[in-house]
Amino acid sequence: MSAYVVFIRDETLNDAEMATYAEKAGKARGDHPINALAFYGALETLEGPEAEGVVVLEFPSVEAAHAWYDSPEYQAAKEHRLKGAHYRVVLVQGVEK
């Protein structure tokens, strides 16, 4: 069953850290089966706090999402994201069709 990792960027704190994060996160993709469904495109907040940006990544399963997120490569990139911006990140399981 598919799974989705949703990144919601609330506030950028340090552009240099975010640039480092972008570089390292791109390399962390490796052979992981990631399908980007949304990547910082135009957004409209319908409810709740405003967001600066949103990314939605699709994985074939929760386990595949964790394999990428928990990988040493992504964890090294994540350190820069945490210094560079305030984010909310959620993992949600898809529905069977």
Side-chain angles (χ1 to χ4, degrees), residues 27-86:
K27 291 177 183 175
R29 179 180 180 129
D31 293 334
H32 295 279
I34 303 170
N35 183 25
L37 299 179
F39 200 82
Y40 296 114
L43 66 90
E44 176 184 356
T45 301
L46 300 177
E47 293 184 24
E50 292 291 326
E52 284 185 357
V54 175
V55 171
V56 179
L57 303 177
E58 179 182 39
F59 293 84
S61 66
V62 168
E63 294 79 15
H66 270 292
W68 166 76
Y69 183 83
D70 297 334
S71 71
E73 296 81 8
Y74 183 73
Q75 289 301 302
K78 177 183 154 185
E79 292 178 20
H80 296 281
R81 178 174 55 78
L82 295 175
K83 294 175 187 174
H86 291 157

